[in-house]
Each structure stands twice: as C-alpha cells, then as structure tokens.
Amino acid sequence: MPDIIQLLPDNIANQIAAGEVIQRPASAVKELMENAVDAGADEIKLIVNDAGKALIQVIDNGRGMSETDARMAFERHATSKIKSIDDLFTIKTMGFRGEALASIAAVGQVELKSKRDEDETGVFIEIENSQVIKQEPIAVPTGTSIAMKNLFFNVPARRNFLKSNAAELRHIVDEFIRVAMSFPEIFFSFSSNGQQVFHLEKGSLKQRIVQILGNSYAAKLVPVQEQTDYMNIYGFVGKPETAKKTRGDQYFFVNNRFIKSAYLNHAVMNAFNEMIAKDSFPMYALFIDLDPSQVDINVHPTKQEIKFEDEKIVYAFVQSAIKHALAQFSITPTLDFDLDASIQSLDAVSKPFTDEKKSTASSSSLYNTFTKKHQSHFIESKSDLKHWKDFYEKPGQQGNSFKPQDETSEFQQLHPTTSYKPQTENLIQLHNSFIVVQTDKGYYLVNQQNAHERILYERFALAVEGKPIATQQSLFPATIELAAADAVLLKELLPDMNHLGYLLEPFGNNTFVIQGTPADVSQGSEKTAIEKMLEQFKHFSSDLKYSKREKLLRSLALQQSIKSGTSLTDKEMIALIEDLFNCDTPNSTANGKPTYLEFKKEELDKMFGR
Ligand code: ADP
Ligand code: MG
C-alpha cells in the first residue's frame, strides 16, 4: 500500500484558512480599512461595487510599502506589527496576525498599488490564487490602494452562500461605520456603485457621530468622560428622549476596536434605568481605553467579543460613568440612583466630579472608587450584576421564539382545526387578554394577541400577493431618520412595505418621508410602528430559513397585533373572532403559538362528575 498523506498545496491551504478571516465582503472591508488606519493614513476611501461582490477597494494616503514589503504582505503570517510574543501583550494596532492580506489574495483577484514617500516610483502587483501574476513599477501618490475583485471567484460554493446585495451592503455599512466612528481624526469616504454613501470630514468625535448617525442627535449628546489609573472611558450617550425602538445606534470600542458586549450594554441600560421606556434603546458611542494586558487580545481578530481581566470592575465603571454623565447634565429629573435620600443630597452625589475628586479617585485603587458608598460612582446592589444575563437574553429569546414554519404544521397535527362553529354572541373578555367563545360543543379560550397576529399575518400575506392594503395619506407627512444600516434595510423593504400600505419615500441622508400608512395605524404613531417593525425584522434577520418577505410579514404581524392587556369592546371582540375563524389556519400564529384552546363540554361534564 502506498503512503496516502500529502501536504496541501499552498493555495488550497490559504483558501481554507481564508474562510476564517474573510467570510463575506464586509470582512475584507474591515481588514483593508484597519490596515489603512494602521498605516497612519488620514484619508481613507472605500469603494465597492455590487455590495463588494464585484469590487472592494480601499485607498489610503498612509506610509505605503516598499517593493519587497508589498510582495511579502500577501504571505501568510506576514506582519510588520509584532516581532516577538511579548509584543502581543502591548499591541496597539488593529491587525497583528498577518493573515488578512494572505486571505484576501486567496479568495479574490487583488491589485495593489503602493508607494512610500521616500521612493521615486511605486509598485503595482496583481495576484490571483495567491500567486503574483504581474508586478511592475507605477507612478502613484504616496499611500496604498488595494482592490479586491470578484470575491470567492475561485470558491463558488462560498460565493453562492453570500446573501442579497442589500444584506451584504448593510454588513459593509456596519463595518465602515465602526472604523469611521473610532477615528474622527481621519477623513473617510464610501461610495457604492458610483454613489456616495458617506463623506466624513475630519473633526471631533461629536461631529463624527452626528455625521454618521444623523443631525437628530446634534444637540442631544451627553458627553461621558471618566479617567482612573486603571481605565478611561469617553464618548457620548444620547439624551433619553433620543432613545429609539431599534437597537441600531449603540457602539462600544475597547482600545479603539469595536466590540459587541451584552454585558457592557447591560451596564449602560442599567444606568438609563427608569429614564427611558422598557422597549427602547439609548444611543451610545463609548470608548474604553485600558492597558492591553487587561484585555484578552488573543481572541481571533474577526471576533468582536472581548474578555476583560476583571469584568466586574469594567461593568461598574461603565455604569457609574454614564449615571454620572446623565446626572451632571441634569438629565435625571430626580437623582434616582437607588440610594437613600440622605445620600442623594450629599455633595459627592449631586455635584459634578471635580478635578480634586478626580485625583483622589485616581490615586485610590479603582475598586475602592466604586465601592465607597458616598461617591457618585457608587454602584448599587451586587444583585444587579447577577441579573444582567436575564436582562439581555430577553430580546434574544423573543427572536428565538420564532420557530421554523414547520412548527405551525406540527401544532396543527396536535390540534387539528375543530369544526365547531364559534358563537359571536355573549363574548367575554378575561384579564384584558383572553376571550371566551362559546361553541355548541363547549368553548374556546382565545388569546387575543396571538389571534390578532394570525389575522394580520394572513391579511399581509394576501396584500403582498397582490391585494394591496389601502393607504391613508398622511396630512402632515412625518419624516423618519434612521441609522445608515437601518436605512439600507428599509430601502430594501420598500416595495413590499408599499403593498402593505406604507408609502415611504427616501429623502436622502438616511431619512424617509412617511407619505401614507395603512388605515389602521393611527396618525402620530407611524414612526414608532416603522422603528418597531425594523427591530422585529432584525431579530430574525439572521434566520436563513425565511425569505425577506416572510420575515417582513411576521415582523409586522407581531408588531401591530393588539397586545394582551388591551380592553376590547364587544364590537372589537366580534370582529376579532370572526376574522380569526375566517383565517386559513386559525389555530396558531405563523410561528406556531396557539391562538386558542378548546374546552369540550363533554369533558367538562366528566370533570364535574356528570
Ligand atoms: P496585519 O495587519 O495583521 O499585520 P495584514 O495581512 O493585514 O496583517 O497586512 C500585512 C502587512 O502588510 C501589515 O503588517 C503591513 O505591514 C502591510 N500593509 C497592509 N496594508 C497596508 C497599507 N494599507 N499600507 C501600508 N502597509 C500595509
Ligand atoms: Mg491587517
């Protein structure tokens, strides 16, 4: 028998490894932009065509590369950013693993142009399948331009796996924003298919936030700024009135790197406690700087999760910094810090953090700073920390409760539609949530919210199939301003929304004019309705099983259904019951929750021994 083990050829090994770093166009955007930042550029331009599937190009005016470095850069584990393992613990740059360019060269056709200031001519290199296929001198300005064409041209299986242009573009916008937000001192521009999406002049962080998230935040940002010897936090939170129904505008950066942290998010939400409605989300863009050795940087560069050496302290720090900021700007009507009234009236609590106090704080150990009772930085009960998990898991679970479509049929098998005719006389509402409907063989206990969700779902499904829902023109059209990523999403949904009775017109700058809404959405609540719909949509936008349209229908049905706790008139109850039993599938919602339970008189009799 011959030996059978072979070494994989380089280009295949590279393709496999690339899968980890470059999952979609947005991953390449992130890597290329971070490299440009690391190269010290103060002007970075991003150009994409076809949502990055055809072209992703990043042009910077950074330090450029020598001819040899330009070739080396595309080798795996080629980096100028670390030399020894110790460097890993002090890393200040965005990249360090030397994997990005090698991965990009493995899955796309790459053209690099680069020139250093000290060199006469620049270098042009063309790469395909990890091989340099052309190299020549070129006259270019100082800096680097890297273009990646036809992502996954050589890995069709992965190319097919990419999502719609709208979805991929949204990921790109997200990545662009994350980098642009953390470097306001750098000029950024972004164009997609020749159209300018962003043009961000250099400026302050505040200006950058407003440039990105929209003018509606202009006078509504509260600065956050605390320094200790352990860590610093700075940035802005939106005043409570700017809180939105969608989670979009929330950004955390640790050492200038965007991170996702449900834990830190909870710290912020906690600080806003009681100041905003339960289902709304405050805007924040917060930057935490701490010694790199206090953060686990050994996480994969494409991962956005982070591990802190002592996460309780970080939590406490974030929460108190925000409470302090809100208090300092008199956002809190009463200083309700869950502290005794006597403590609240103390200077330390009600007065701003003075320089003097700051120095005392930074000279004491951080933990003391946060546990001393009479400090404005005092963190209330420890139990808050214990429960952060419940808090953040709720929205997620809501999303998860949308089970696959088959769930409906499974439910139907268990509860075949009964043929007993519901009687619409003498309906009884219980707990403002349930309706008792008598049949000739017993009664149904209907859950009003689930029932309405089913009715709306079928109505919306009919609407998008060509029985459009009547639109009521708005007398005073409201405008709605969204985060860039949400605007991309909404644009994509416009045609279907139109069938569903929403007349929305893009108005530039991520703004839409609401020209009309379905007749049953009350005037004045259109904006909230749309924001909530987007939020719902995002909850299951990662679910591949459903089409965009299906997700939209479900989002709208869920969001517009009359909620439990709403008292209904007789007329409303009758309409609801009639509509429900006229549905094709009256006995469950689209996502498999029962709409009613059946109680048979026969069995009731038995139970009572009759
Ligand atoms: P890493 O960023 O982790 O070092 P990359 O594969 O992203 O790895 O880049 C490899 C090297 O190529 C970098 O360390 C840097 O020296 C060089 N490089 C990449 N992009 C640029 C750029 N835009 N300008 C200058 N040098 C660059
Ligand atoms: Mg890099």
Side-chain angles (χ1 to χ4, degrees), residues 30 257-260 299-306:
K30 170 177 186 278
R257 188 186 293 274
F258 173 83
I259 57 141
K260 280 186 184 150
V299 291
H300 195 275
T302 61
K303 286 216 181 114
Q304 293 155 339
E305 286 89 34
I306 193 158

Side-chain angles (χ1 to χ4, degrees), residues 215-235:
N215 262 327
S216 58
Y217 285 114
K220 306 267 161 88
L221 296 175
V222 180
V224 176
Q225 166 103 53
E226 299 290 346
Q227 292 176 342
T228 65
D229 48 0
Y230 182 76
M231 62 189 281
N232 301 331
I233 187 170
Y234 65 95

Side-chain angles (χ1 to χ4, degrees), residues 31-32 35-36 38-39 60 62-65 69 73-75 78-81 94-102 114 144 146:
E31 296 296 340
L32 293 174
N35 279 348
D38 282 345
D60 71 56
R63 68 178 70 90
M65 284 180 260
D69 282 351
F74 293 94
E75 297 290 331
T79 180
S80 54
K81 297 167 195 174
M94 307 295 280
F96 55 88
R97 293 187 161 223
E99 289 177 317
L101 289 186
S114 192
T144 302
I146 299 183

